[in-house]
Amino acid sequence: MQALKVVWTVPALILTAFVVVGNVLSIAEATFQEAPEPGFQWKDGAEVYAKVCAFCHEAKVGPTIRGRGLAPAYITFIVRHGNRAMPSFRAAEIDDESLARVAEYVSKAAANQ
Ligand code: HEC
């Protein structure tokens, strides 16, 4: 009997969790649709680096860029215009504010070694 109770309690809890999360998400979605926020769409520069730049720059496809004190203006220029094997990113891919934050992050962050 006890085992049967546990067997049904767990899926019920999981189901409840899904319903709660689903409601929160749809409320969040509705809020976003009412007031679209232009501009910054990433949490911070570190997140842009981790999700966009690290793909190459932490995989030895691109050179190490953190911990070198590269100027933010230089980083911004390279990202917008590209340079040989480095692709350029348009504003639709990384908006100006996100780019400013990732450039500042890369400029100041330490290399991972
Ligand atoms: C598709 C792979 C790729 C991605 C994604 C990428 N890069 Fe690069 N990046 C490169 C490569 C390859 C180079 C070296 C280019 C060369 O010299 O041929 C480079 C060079 C650079 C340089 C010049 C480094 C130096 O030594 O002067 C900077 C600055 C830079 N990338 C910043 C970024 C930033 C910031 C991001 C994220 C927004 C990013 N890159 C995303 C591949 C990438």
Side-chain angles (χ1 to χ4, degrees):
M1 254 338 249
Q2 192 66 31
L4 197 70
K5 213 166 152 189
V6 170
V7 165
W8 281 108
T9 309
V10 172
L13 281 177
I14 293 172
L15 211 72
T16 312
F18 271 117
V19 170
V20 170
V21 169
N23 280 338
V24 170
L25 284 182
S26 52
I27 290 166
E29 204 172 51
T31 314
F32 281 128
Q33 279 165 359
E34 279 161 24
E37 281 275 325
F40 198 64
Q41 52 175 284
W42 306 84
K43 202 166 51 153
D44 54 20
E47 191 192 41
V48 181
Y49 181 80
K51 294 198 171 154
V52 183
C53 321
F55 183 73
C56 294
H57 286 281
E58 294 294 318
K60 307 229 181 285
V61 174
T64 299
I65 52 174
R66 292 190 301 173
R68 289 173 52 197
L70 295 174
Y74 171 71
I75 296 165
T76 303
F77 185 87
I78 299 283
V79 171
R80 277 285 179 255
H81 300 275
N83 179 37
R84 298 185 293 181
M86 163 80 192
S88 62
F89 292 84
R90 294 164 301 170
E93 291 152 337
I94 302 176
D95 58 284
D96 286 342
E97 199 182 336
S98 302
L99 180 52
R101 293 206 198 180
V102 75
E104 201 185 301
Y105 166 78
V106 167
S107 179
K108 290 184 180 149
N112 256 4
Q113 272 102 11

